[in-house]
Amino acid sequence: MKTVKARQGFTLIELLVVIAIIAVLVGLLVPAVQKVREAANRMSCSNNVKQLGLGMHNYHDTNNRLPYATAKNPCCWGTWLVPVFPFIEQDNLAKQYLSWGDDTGTRYSDAPNTTNVTTKRIKTLTCPSDSPQAPFGGITSHNYAVNFGNTAYTQGTYQGQTFQGAPFLHATKQAPVKITDITDGSSNTLLVGEVIQGMGTDLRGFSWWGDASQFTTVWQPNTSLPDRIYTASYCNSAAFPANPPCAATASGWGTQFSSRSRHSQGVNAGLADGSVRFFSNSVSLAAWRAYGSSQGGEVIQE
């Protein structure tokens, strides 16, 4: 009588079925993992914004005013990062930064500032949803900027909007801003918001430099309209869509960067009352501009 041997292994068809099942499971699992990871990244980013808001409030408590966005010369001798450092547990960086506000001294791009400060990657200033960049000489870009109001970097009238005050200004623009100067209400006024780190030679997020230390609310978050800077070489539009739209200024256009993020559908932003909100890309333009002003007297309807 013949003995039937036990079959060893799988047939080809069985193997293909198993592979197909595994592929389907991986296809279902990967988006779920990515969704969970992005939710964690967004929460971490929100915590960063919260820390910056608290740091600015602690600075205000110590100095009876908010920090200036930039030094007297808005280009290259320091931005709000340096005076806020001691209030976000980065006191050593603040102590090592030379010539803040002295437009005849050491620039952010000169040694020893580059050696000791501006080439450092600071976790509180970096959103994990973005890719860390260092466009020039290893000097780091960041993901947070301060609110410069509802017009442009130079304020005034811009694209039909009249400047209605902002919590952060150049040191030469007007008297220091106090929380009590925010007559629109601290819960209705933005302090800090997200920006992207431009890839390649794109200088968005390059916040050691005055122009990139701010955002405006001329357009909604993550707008498809281009950011504007005075020379196209500071935009890297060739990297689109990794880099959002950007263009050189033209007649009637000044420097202005919108709040942007690598999150889906919106940006994290901190308000002057210390709270943090996620603002959707679909927030009404009127409401977003009202959040950008500090003394506009608008009634916000989202």
Side-chain angles (χ1 to χ4, degrees):
M1 186 173 184
K2 284 188 176 181
T3 303
V4 179
K5 292 184 178 180
R7 189 179 64 181
Q8 301 294 319
F10 295 103
T11 66
L12 179 59
I13 293 176
E14 289 172 331
L15 182 60
L16 291 175
V17 169
V18 170
I19 292 172
I21 292 171
I22 292 172
V24 169
L25 292 175
V26 169
L28 293 172
L29 182 62
V30 168
V33 170
Q34 291 175 334
K35 187 174 181 180
V36 170
R37 181 181 293 128
E38 170 52 23
N41 287 345
R42 183 171 139 183
M43 183 176 294
S44 176
C45 183
S46 176
N47 288 337
N48 289 345
V49 174
K50 183 71 172 180
Q51 291 304 310
L52 289 173
L54 290 175
M56 290 169 182
H57 271 267
N58 289 333
Y59 178 97
H60 185 283
D61 290 345
T62 301
N63 298 279
N64 198 31
R65 65 175 176 86
L66 290 168
Y68 284 117
T70 73
K72 291 181 180 180
N73 185 316
C75 167
C76 307
W77 284 270
T79 67
W80 60 272
L81 297 177
V82 178
V84 170
F85 276 155
F87 302 94
I88 58 170
E89 299 184 342
Q90 296 293 339
D91 190 44
N92 288 337
L93 288 179
K95 289 177 179 176
Q96 293 182 79
Y97 191 95
L98 300 184
S99 304
W100 197 100
D102 178 6
D103 60 7
T104 62
T106 307
R107 292 160 61 117
Y108 76 89
S109 54
D110 295 334
N113 283 342
T114 48
T115 305
N116 298 329
V117 183
T118 59
T119 55
K120 306 302 181 184
R121 171 60 52 196
I122 302 161
K123 185 176 180 181
T124 308
L125 300 175
T126 305
C127 177
S129 292
D130 206 352
S131 301
Q133 303 292 317
F136 295 111
I139 300 172
T140 51
S141 294
H142 305 119
N143 287 109
Y144 308 104
V146 293
N147 170 26
F148 246 55
N150 58 349
T151 55
Y153 184 50
T154 52
Q155 288 101 48
T157 299
Y158 182 82
Q159 295 300 306
Q161 295 299 300
T162 301
F163 179 66
Q164 300 288 352
F168 297 95
L169 300 166
H170 304 312
T172 53
K173 283 293 179 181
Q174 68 176 47
V177 177
K178 302 178 181 180
I179 295 293
T180 53
D181 296 329
I182 301 175
T183 55
D184 285 351
S186 59
S187 62
N188 296 321
T189 304
L190 296 166
L191 281 188
V192 60
E194 284 191 84
V195 293
I196 57 103
Q197 297 187 42
M199 295 186 177
T201 56
D202 192 299
L203 294 190
R204 281 173 287 186
F206 197 58
S207 52
W208 303 107
W209 172 57
D211 291 52
S213 68
Q214 52 78 35
F215 73 95
T216 68
T217 60
V218 179
W219 310 121
Q220 290 126 306
N222 293 308
T223 177
S224 60
L225 294 169
D227 295 323
R228 296 280 179 167
I229 188 62
Y230 53 84
T231 174
S233 64
Y234 292 162
C235 295
N236 186 5
S237 296
F240 182 85
N243 283 340
C246 185
T249 56
S251 178
W253 296 90
T255 295
Q256 75 89 18
F257 296 137
S258 295
S259 182
R260 301 182 184 275
S261 80
R262 305 292 186 188
H263 308 305
S264 175
Q265 302 302 315
V267 297
N268 288 303
L271 296 155
D273 64 354
S275 65
V276 177
R277 279 189 57 185
F278 188 78
F279 284 90
S280 168
N281 296 340
S282 61
V283 62
S284 77
L285 183 56
W288 185 241
R289 287 175 172 172
Y291 278 113
S293 75
S294 63
Q295 299 164 10
E298 308 96 338
V299 176
I300 298 179
Q301 294 182 327
E302 297 184 50

